[in-house]
Amino acid sequence: GVIINLSSITADGNLGQIAYATAKSALIGLSNTIGKELGKYGIRGVSLSLGYIETTSTIKALGEEKIKLQKRNNPMKRIGNANEVINAIDFIISNKFRIKKYFVTF
């Protein structure tokens, strides 16, 4: 089996987001520990660290202008979408090999 935790690239720290960054960093530690403790039972722990994902709630929380700014400042000139997150999760589930970390940034 696999336990997938959704973390954030903010886990490395982000100005003004102490509580959020701490929580997301804790998910990475939890995932690593799950893998170490439960791996012998065939259970993997994975943390998927996401960047901004274009959803209705993200647009509502940030506003159109901040989304446009994020897209301009991103090397790929876009943010992720829900289907890409689903594809990443499908990959994690289907891939039995242990990989240290998955970082999905857009």
Side-chain angles (χ1 to χ4, degrees), residues 42-59:
I43 300 171
R44 295 175 292 135
V46 177
S47 177
L48 184 61
S49 295
L50 303 169
Y52 284 106
I53 304 301
E54 195 159 3
T55 63
T56 303
S57 60
T58 301
I59 294 168

Side-chain angles (χ1 to χ4, degrees), residues 3-104:
I3 298 170
I4 302 172
N5 291 302
L6 297 180
S7 184
S8 169
I9 58 173
T10 302
D12 290 335
N14 199 25
L15 184 63
Q17 293 187 310
I18 291 171
Y20 184 77
T22 301
K24 295 305 181 175
S25 179
L27 286 174
I28 294 171
L30 173 66
S31 298
N32 290 340
T33 304
I34 286 170
K36 290 175 182 176
E37 291 185 6
L38 302 179
K40 62 187 170 190
Y41 303 110
I43 300 171
R44 295 175 292 135
V46 177
S47 177
L48 184 61
S49 295
L50 303 169
Y52 284 106
I53 304 301
E54 195 159 3
T55 63
T56 303
S57 60
T58 301
I59 294 168
K60 184 177 179 181
L62 298 178
E64 294 281 345
E65 288 306 311
K66 181 134 187 188
I67 296 291
K68 287 178 186 176
L69 178 65
Q70 289 299 321
K71 289 178 181 180
R72 275 197 305 271
N73 291 334
N74 187 294
M76 294 178 70
K77 304 299 179 203
R78 68 184 193 91
I79 62 175
N81 66 56
N83 285 333
E84 291 167 319
V85 176
I86 292 166
N87 289 339
I89 291 170
D90 282 344
F91 169 76
I92 292 167
I93 292 168
S94 66
N95 185 342
K96 305 299 183 212
F97 188 74
R98 182 186 182 277
I99 298 174
K100 177 69 174 156
K101 291 184 182 178
Y102 294 98
F103 286 99
V104 178

